[in-house]
Each structure stands twice: as C-alpha cells, then as structure tokens.
Amino acid sequence: MKRILIVNGENYWHDILNEFEVSRIKIQESSWLKKDGILYVADKEKVVQPDGILWRIGAIRPAEIQTTALNLIELSETPCVNPASTLKIGYDRLGMLARIKKHKLPCIKFNVASNSNHLKNIEIEYPFVVKVGNYHGGFGKALIENDKKWQDVKDILFTSSTYITIEPYIPYARDIRYIGIRDQIWAMSRKGKYWKANIQTTSYEQIEPEKEIIAGFKELQKDIGADLLAIDILEEKNGDVHIVEYNDIPGLSGFTDDLKYELANVLREKIAKTTE
C-alpha cells in the first residue's frame, strides 16, 4: 500500500485518500532524512517513508525546518502538492507580492521596512495596516487608527527580527477568495466579524469568477508552478479591487467538497506517474 504524509493538515484527508496508508505529522515536531535518494520523515511516534506528500502548513511561524524539509522533498523527487519549488517561493511575502505585480494584477499598495528603525520614514495616513513577516490567517497584523495605537505597536515591533509592511486600510464591501486547482477556478465572497476579512467568518457565498481576474490568475499559477493557488481580494463599494496576497496553502472552508477531492486527485496522479 502506498503511503501518504499529511504535513500539518486537516483530519478529513484520511477519509478522502482512504486507499492509501495516511500519516500526519506536525512540521515543528518532525525530523527529515534523505538516504540513498529515499526520503524518511519522523516524529516521536513513527517514521514514514512517503510515496506522496500533501503540504498543509498554515499560519505558524516560518522556521528553518520548513525550508530544509522542502529542499529534501525536492532532492528526493517525492511527489508533493504543491511542488516544493512552488512552496519555497510563497514562504517569502515580498517575493510573493513581486510575483503578483509581475503579472499586472491589481496588487495592494504597500511600503516595506527591513526593521522597525525605519518605520518613521514610511508612516502613511491613518488608518493603515501593519503586517509582520509572512503569516496568513490574520496573524502578525494590526490596524493602526491613531498616534497612540501606532506608538504602542511600534514598541512591540522593536522586538521583531523580520521585515514589516505597511498598507492602506481598505474599507472593503466584499472580501473575495479565488481558488484554482489545475485548470478549475472557484470564487467565494466572505464576510468577517471584524476588520480582518478572513477571520471569524460569518458568511460564505460562492460566486462566479470574473474574467478579468481569471486571466492574470492563470498566468500567476503557471509562473509559480502551482497545482493549488488562492488569491485574496478586497473589493471597494466603487468596484475597485486590491489583491492582498496569494496563498499556495489555502484553507478550503466554505467551498464545496469538490475542491478536496480534486486536490486529492492531483496527488494521486503525481504518485501514479512515479510508478509508470
């Protein structure tokens, strides 16, 4: 029986990939070994020699082990969704934003400081949003509405050892997520409880993807070699749209279960190709 390794993934993959021996590990509790071209992954309970990997690491602190693991996946040629080469691009927020701009997609305007000492040089009109490093899921982000809040946040950012981005706050009418798996694209409008559009989501509505977005989305997806890709968009009342980020490990909540089965099929086909 072929073995699938789910890295930091959801429990339901055991049922969807039930023809495989499925194991789950947390990247932060794992160790990785490549011996004679074969990949082994261990935690405190088990050692797995995976025939395929589903990489589902969410908004945890990026750590060196993630890059090491992706390099070993690539070197061992172990089938992985997304490919290790794609995932390595997405781990750097600045590189990710550069790819969006490369394809002339409507990327949100942003300023960057390599450390907090430079923040005084890139302050913009209130309100604005500060983001630290490369987190998803609402982590590492703060809304700055006045001088007092900004001073408090700057005091915290002084302890940060990574870069900081500053973006204008978008008073959005809709938060929209596009997800593409191979040639299929879905779109969903979401509403959050607070200013972070994708946090504590109160409603989902699947919508028709816009042709103007699809073309650039597919170019981006091809450019980074992504089997799975999402972009998050803030749409203003006047119709202006701003792409906040792309996400190559997106959550699938709110979408039809078809996406889960389609993603599983991508991994199945990759594994099948290695045994032809």
Side-chain angles (χ1 to χ4, degrees):
M1 181 181 288
K2 296 287 185 180
R3 295 170 293 272
I4 299 290
L5 182 65
I6 312 294
V7 183
N8 288 66
E10 302 89 345
N11 288 321
Y12 55 68
W13 294 110
H14 290 77
D15 297 325
I16 295 173
L17 293 160
N18 56 18
E19 75 271 34
F20 298 99
E21 180 184 318
V22 178
S23 299
R24 294 174 67 242
I25 61 104
K26 293 182 178 179
I27 187 70
Q28 59 270 41
E29 299 173 0
S30 68
S31 57
W32 298 66
L33 170 69
K34 186 179 84 72
K35 180 181 179 182
D36 299 328
I38 299 174
L39 181 67
Y40 301 88
V41 186
D43 61 14
K44 294 179 180 180
E45 299 178 353
K46 57 189 173 296
V47 177
V48 180
Q49 180 189 328
D51 296 292
I53 294 174
L54 187 58
W55 188 274
R56 298 293 295 159
I57 296 176
I60 66 171
R61 178 183 292 276
E64 185 177 355
I65 184 61
Q66 295 173 216
T67 300
T68 299
L70 290 172
N71 285 333
L72 293 180
I73 291 169
E74 192 169 18
L75 287 167
S76 65
E77 299 181 344
T78 303
C80 185
V81 177
N82 269 315
S85 56
T86 298
L87 293 166
K88 285 189 287 185
I89 297 170
Y91 271 130
D92 179 69
R93 178 174 172 79
L94 300 183
M96 173 266 290
L97 292 170
R99 293 295 179 116
I100 293 174
K101 290 175 68 68
K102 172 184 174 181
H103 293 284
K104 311 300 182 183
L105 288 161
C107 185
I108 193 169
K109 295 180 180 179
F110 60 92
N111 299 312
V112 185
S114 63
N115 61 63
S116 64
N117 293 332
H118 299 298
L119 289 176
K120 61 182 180 294
N121 298 316
I122 59 172
E123 294 177 7
I124 62 175
E125 184 179 348
Y126 299 119
F128 58 84
V129 176
V130 173
K131 299 182 179 180
V132 183
N134 187 42
Y135 294 99
H136 294 286
F139 292 98
K141 301 170 178 63
L143 175 62
I144 310 300
E145 300 168 296
N146 52 53
D147 288 336
K148 182 179 184 302
K149 179 73 173 288
W150 185 216
Q151 186 57 55
D152 287 344
V153 171
K154 281 193 289 187
D155 290 346
I156 294 172
L157 292 175
F158 180 77
T159 66
S160 172
S161 58
T162 187
Y163 60 84
I164 300 150
T165 60
I166 292 180
E167 304 170 357
Y169 170 70
I170 305 297
Y172 64 92
R174 292 199 300 175
D175 164 51
I176 302 170
R177 165 163 283 187
Y178 278 65
I179 287 188
I181 300 177
R182 294 189 287 197
D183 294 332
Q184 297 188 64
I185 297 178
W186 298 262
M188 179 178 64
S189 175
R190 304 176 294 184
K191 189 172 183 179
K193 188 176 180 180
Y194 302 112
W195 71 270
K196 294 179 182 178
N198 62 339
I199 300 301
Q200 295 190 19
T201 305
T202 57
S203 64
Y204 302 92
E205 179 186 0
Q206 199 154 321
I207 61 175
E208 192 68 24
E210 297 284 345
K211 292 180 179 179
E212 294 78 6
I213 298 294
I214 288 175
F217 182 96
K218 287 185 173 180
E219 289 179 5
L220 173 62
Q221 187 178 12
K222 182 179 179 181
D223 180 31
I224 65 174
D227 306 302
L228 166 68
L229 185 67
I231 56 172
D232 291 334
I233 299 172
L234 297 179
E235 181 182 78
E236 297 187 68
K237 288 182 180 180
N238 62 8
D240 288 348
V241 296
H242 310 268
I243 295 179
V244 180
E245 63 187 6
Y246 82 63
N247 189 340
D248 49 20
I249 321 165
L252 306 178
S253 297
F255 287 93
T256 172
D257 284 346
D258 291 348
L259 276 75
K260 300 170 186 175
Y261 287 94
E262 184 63 26
L263 190 58
N265 285 337
V266 174
L267 185 55
R268 286 187 180 99
E269 291 175 19
K270 288 192 171 195
I271 293 171
K273 284 181 180 180
T274 64
T275 59
E276 290 178 351

